[in-house]
Amino acid sequence: MTPVSLVLFLTFTLLPFTAGYIAPGLSKGTIREQKVWVREGSSAVLPCHLSPRKTRGSSKQLPDKISVLWRRHGGSVHQEPHVVLEVGDSGLQKTALCMKPRVSLQDSAWRNGNFSLRIAPVRSEDVGLYEAQVTYKTEVHSCHVELGVITVTLNPPSPVIGNELLLMSCNSSHRASLVEACWFHNEHLGPTSRTICSFSRTLSIFYPAMSHAGSWRCQLRYSDKEIISATFNLQILGFEGPANPVVYAAAGSAADLPCSLSYLPSAFGMRVVAAHWSHLAGGHLQKWDISQNVSSRSFPLHLPVVGPGDAGQYRCAVSVGHGTISRNVTLAVVTVTPSIQGPVSEGNRLLLICSLTHSQGHERFQWTHLDSAPTKSKLAVASSHHLEGHSSWMRPTLEIPQVSQKDTGTWECSVHGPEGRLGAVEYDLQITGAQVSSAPSILSGQVTFGLTLTLFFLLAICVVALALQKRAQTPAFPALEGMFAVTVPGKSVEENQKGKIQQTEC
Ligand SMILES: *[C@@H]1O[C@H](CO)[C@@H](O)[C@H](O)[C@H]1NC(C)=O
Ligand SMILES: *[C@@H]1O[C@H](CO)[C@@H](O)[C@H](O)[C@H]1NC(C)=O
Ligand SMILES: *[C@@H]1O[C@H](CO)[C@@H](O)[C@H](O)[C@H]1NC(C)=O
Ligand SMILES: *[C@@H]1O[C@H](CO)[C@@H](O)[C@H](O)[C@H]1NC(C)=O
């Protein structure tokens, strides 16, 4: 049985003609009793259709010659019927005061024999037996509709603020005893749908979370086999996105920590002034206040430059209505540390250590040499071990046993999770060696060579001058001659130790 058919549980019963419903002296009436179940607060259409044949030949003067009277017989039998809505053949309309703005007839539909009564919104006191009398000339046709109301009560009322005990209750005006109440959540979503059944008409949710939001249907089963159900939408005012988000940022880059509400609080007449962010760093509590205007529900925390010391848990607290909702956001920082500080010489063994603070345990890492065209060489790291004492740190390490010129350039350590790429950090590797190939290295090599030559000549001149002087003053020490050392200055290849760092989308 589809939810729609359950929501609007219609029973078409042809009842015997009962004189009591029809004014005496008039004949040719038809009685069709129907039952309509409607959730309190939604709209109801009490159907009354007469075949146009009954009012044939009258289409031209229809509004003038037809009068409609809807009456309600109340909940109990002995209650006096009272007029709900009356449209006289002059077009004059009378409405019961208690239902005045909520009931309507669509007189444009009369031409098709549709005299249905619309009630919007329905209240629980609207239950009862309704009767329509459609008078055309001397003929009276009548319809009988029983309106039943299902009441869904949410305590506290919608929108429910996350983490407060929520009681959902379902009741109906049906008089039999309740056998079972079932609750269906997200029925149309297949695998994520849930069903809970109990003998109680109340369902308790101790910690309402965003996962409880969405469409619900309560179904009441009674001892007389009557089944009544109603659907409603549960709105939870909480945070968008996952419950405990993790933001991955490269050291030295900026990070934005998300804090977005699921609904605009002003849409529910709630005020939000600001969000309060806090972070405990080394025993010191840091605080930020993020203010937004009423048309915003997002309060992100922007950190211009992050380092490993900024990593950790951040808390975003937003005051809405009478309460405060908060959630934790974890900032994980990715850094690259080389095993050799300073320039790396060809042939050396080099380790590039990619460190991730606050690992969730499910991350995978990938080292990529971005500069090795045309195809990127990808080196998946086999083992990413946990260090003792830093259980939440992961250090996947890239080992280059013998550094060569082809390793020059940008290396990227990227972090991947089940949902895809989470973040990355880049490292620029510069190599010194005998065979210098790149243009800036040639230039610096030539300069160095020139400098060495000049120094050599200067020293040579000094030594020759010294030798000549010694020879003139003292007996010669031939052993001294030729004993001079030349210190070749180290190559002045530009050191790019810090590494270019770039953050990517998380
Ligand atoms: C009859 O009119 C009501 C509005 O008064 C409308 O909601 C309903 O759909 C109409 N029924 C048909 C069968 O057109
Ligand atoms: C359920 O509804 C019936 C009829 O409207 C009412 O008599 C009864 O007290 C209600 N029960 C609860 C628990 O609200
Ligand atoms: C409110 O903030 C939003 C986004 O932050 C912005 O687009 C909008 O123009 C702001 N409105 C006013 C009235 O300042
Ligand atoms: C957020 O972190 C604080 C401190 O670590 C903890 O007490 C709290 O339970 C956390 N809240 C959530 C919703 O995880």
Side-chain angles (χ1 to χ4, degrees):
M1 205 181 277
T2 67
V4 177
S5 64
L6 278 164
V7 168
L8 211 73
F9 201 83
L10 301 174
T11 336
F12 294 88
T13 326
L14 216 65
L15 285 187
F17 190 85
T18 316
Y21 290 128
I22 294 294
L26 296 165
S27 58
K28 285 189 181 175
T30 324
I31 291 176
R32 300 168 76 209
E33 191 183 301
Q34 303 188 11
K35 195 157 190 178
V36 173
W37 284 105
V38 173
R39 181 171 55 80
E40 188 181 2
S42 63
S43 65
V45 173
L46 307 188
C48 183
H49 299 276
L50 299 177
S51 79
R53 187 178 47 84
K54 298 238 171 71
T55 53
R56 78 177 169 263
S58 61
S59 56
K60 274 173 196 161
Q61 329 94 306
L62 202 69
D64 309 317
K65 293 293 171 203
I66 286 185
S67 69
V68 181
L69 171 65
W70 271 97
R71 292 193 299 173
R72 184 163 79 114
H73 293 266
S76 48
V77 198
H78 41 266
Q79 206 174 327
E80 276 292 297
H82 67 269
V83 175
V84 171
L85 190 100
E86 185 176 13
V87 182
D89 55 10
S90 61
L92 198 72
Q93 192 166 319
K94 275 203 298 192
T95 315
L97 217 58
C98 62
M99 295 184 85
K100 188 153 187 152
R102 298 186 294 120
V103 287
S104 60
L105 279 181
Q106 210 173 1
D107 41 9
S108 62
W110 288 12
R111 221 169 287 270
N112 307 319
N114 182 354
F115 302 95
S116 304
L117 179 74
R118 192 178 136 86
I119 311 176
V122 170
R123 292 184 190 159
S124 56
E125 66 262 27
D126 294 340
V127 293
L129 184 65
Y130 287 74
E131 180 201 3
Q133 284 185 0
V134 181
T135 312
Y136 166 65
K137 288 179 183 166
T138 55
E139 288 176 18
V140 173
H141 306 278
S142 58
C143 297
H144 293 86
V145 184
E146 198 182 329
L147 175 66
V149 175
I150 311 154
T151 308
V152 178
T153 318
L154 299 180
N155 188 14
S158 196
V160 175
I161 293 171
N163 289 326
E164 285 179 7
L165 171 68
L166 167 66
L167 299 176
M168 298 199 294
S169 187
C170 206
N171 192 13
S172 87
S173 54
H174 194 62
R175 300 225 174 258
S177 62
L178 185 75
V179 172
E180 186 189 51
C182 287
W183 299 82
F184 305 90
H185 182 216
N186 285 338
E187 271 179 300
H188 56 286
L189 291 181
T192 64
S193 68
R194 279 182 288 185
T195 305
I196 305 146
C197 291
S198 75
F199 303 114
S200 161
R201 61 177 81 246
T202 301
L203 181 72
S204 312
I205 300 179
F206 291 96
Y207 296 104
M210 290 309 293
S211 59
H212 295 112
S215 89
W216 283 85
R217 183 168 69 89
C218 74
Q219 179 187 278
L220 302 172
R221 195 156 61 83
Y222 289 93
S223 53
D224 62 353
K225 296 197 164 58
E226 179 84 273
I227 293 173
I228 302 160
S229 78
T231 54
F232 62 98
N233 187 37
L234 180 63
Q235 292 175 308
I236 306 246
L237 186 59
F239 294 101
E240 265 185 355
N244 289 300
V246 183
V247 172
Y248 295 84
S253 72
D256 286 289
L257 309 185
C259 185
S260 286
L261 297 175
S262 54
Y263 291 100
L264 194 63
S266 59
F268 302 112
M270 290 177 171
R271 259 173 65 87
V272 171
V273 181
H276 304 283
W277 279 94
S278 57
H279 171 54
L280 195 64
H284 172 69
L285 189 68
Q286 291 177 285
K287 284 181 177 181
W288 298 264
D289 285 344
I290 311 287
S291 299
Q292 294 284 25
N293 63 35
V294 289
S295 50
S296 177
R297 57 188 172 90
S298 183
F299 305 88
L301 176 64
H302 179 75
L303 299 170
V305 183
V306 297
D310 299 312
Q313 204 168 61
Y314 288 73
R315 193 175 179 81
C316 174
V318 185
S319 304
V320 276
H322 55 280
T324 299
I325 50 171
S326 64
R327 80 148 164 196
N328 295 333
V329 180
T330 303
L331 173 65
V333 175
V334 203
T335 44
V336 174
T337 317
S339 61
I340 300 167
Q341 298 298 320
V344 179
S345 306
E346 249 189 288
N348 280 358
R349 175 175 177 263
L350 177 69
L351 298 176
L352 291 180
I353 304 150
C354 178
S355 309
L356 171 69
T357 68
H358 300 85
S359 155
Q360 307 300 300
H362 58 64
E363 293 92 345
R364 287 180 300 105
F365 297 85
Q366 191 167 55
W367 274 102
T368 310
H369 191 200
L370 298 180
D371 292 357
S372 60
T375 49
K376 283 197 213 170
S377 80
K378 288 189 176 182
L379 292 161
V381 173
S383 66
S384 52
H385 59 278
H386 289 254
L387 296 189
E388 327 83 63
H390 291 96
S391 59
S392 64
W393 280 62
M394 277 190 136
R395 296 195 154 173
T397 303
L398 173 75
E399 184 185 354
I400 306 175
Q402 279 202 315
V403 171
S404 70
Q405 283 300 326
K406 66 174 168 47
D407 299 323
T408 316
T410 309
W411 288 86
E412 181 195 65
C413 169
S414 52
V415 186
H416 303 260
E419 62 271 48
R421 189 180 157 106
L422 305 169
V425 60
E426 286 182 5
Y427 178 78
D428 257 8
L429 178 60
Q430 296 293 333
I431 292 163
T432 60
Q435 298 89 36
V436 196
S437 55
S438 64
S441 300
I442 288 169
L443 194 68
S444 74
Q446 282 172 344
V447 168
T448 315
F449 183 67
L451 224 77
T452 314
L453 218 69
T454 315
L455 216 74
F456 182 81
F457 271 110
L458 273 170
L459 263 162
I461 289 162
C462 281
V463 168
V464 167
L466 211 79
L468 285 174
Q469 211 181 352
K470 287 267 172 78
R471 192 167 286 181
Q473 289 172 354
T474 55
F477 292 97
L480 255 179
E481 289 176 49
M483 264 192 72
F484 56 86
V486 176
T487 326
V488 182
K491 281 183 66 107
S492 62
V493 171
E494 199 193 306
E495 177 189 313
N496 203 341
Q497 197 51 49
K498 274 185 75 185
K500 196 178 79 193
I501 276 158
Q502 182 192 317
Q503 193 200 358
T504 55
E505 285 287 302
C506 290

